[in-house]
Amino acid sequence: MFVCHVCLLCVCVNFKSISSCNCSIRGFVKLAMEHAATSKEAVKLVPVFPFNESRILDNIPTPYSFQRFCTKMFQANIVYFPYGRFYIPGLPRPEEITVVFGEPVIVPAKKRPTYEQVDLVY
């Protein structure tokens, strides 16, 4: 059984504005469909919705243009220095995280799924 994390909400650093975001990462669905084609058992995806997880750590503030430059130059965001409680790196703030699990979705078996088939399951 695959557990997938579904991105529904994006919370800004000030925790006051909430906006929806469009997650275009569907690789886990494609992988589950390919795995279902070779597996004897049914493959299920379980949607997981965590809330308040963005409140436990922050990242150092850097200009957006510098982040974009580093991402294009190194193909990764190297400007990542998470800090939390007492500004200690990696020590999370004591926040309550609510996790909601959805109903399992049975994934159809496809050896080479097309984008439309993956999008339909997503």
Side-chain angles (χ1 to χ4, degrees):
M1 184 181 309
F2 287 94
V3 177
C4 62
H5 177 269
V6 179
C7 178
L8 285 184
L9 299 174
C10 292
V11 181
C12 295
V13 176
N14 60 6
F15 308 125
K16 293 181 181 174
S17 64
I18 297 175
S19 60
S20 63
C21 72
N22 182 12
C23 288
S24 59
I25 302 171
R26 292 172 169 81
F28 66 93
V29 177
K30 182 179 178 183
L31 182 67
M33 292 173 81
E34 291 171 352
H35 181 72
T38 60
S39 177
K40 295 179 182 177
E41 300 176 1
V43 175
K44 299 176 184 177
L45 287 176
V46 179
V48 178
F49 303 98
F51 296 97
N52 292 339
E53 69 175 353
S54 62
R55 292 185 178 200
I56 60 173
L57 290 174
D58 282 329
N59 194 14
I60 57 171
T62 54
Y64 182 73
S65 59
F66 181 68
Q67 288 181 3
R68 294 294 300 156
F69 170 76
C70 290
T71 303
K72 287 183 179 183
M73 189 71 150
F74 301 108
Q75 298 295 315
N77 186 5
I78 61 169
V79 187
Y80 182 67
F81 187 73
Y83 65 90
R85 192 174 194 185
F86 309 121
Y87 296 98
I88 297 176
L91 182 64
R93 291 185 192 92
E95 290 283 335
E96 186 174 315
I97 298 176
T98 304
V99 181
V100 179
F101 295 93
E103 291 291 323
V105 177
I106 298 175
V107 178
K110 302 286 181 184
K111 285 192 177 184
R112 296 179 190 252
T114 64
Y115 180 79
E116 290 80 19
Q117 292 169 336
V118 171
D119 197 41
L120 183 64
V121 174
Y122 187 78

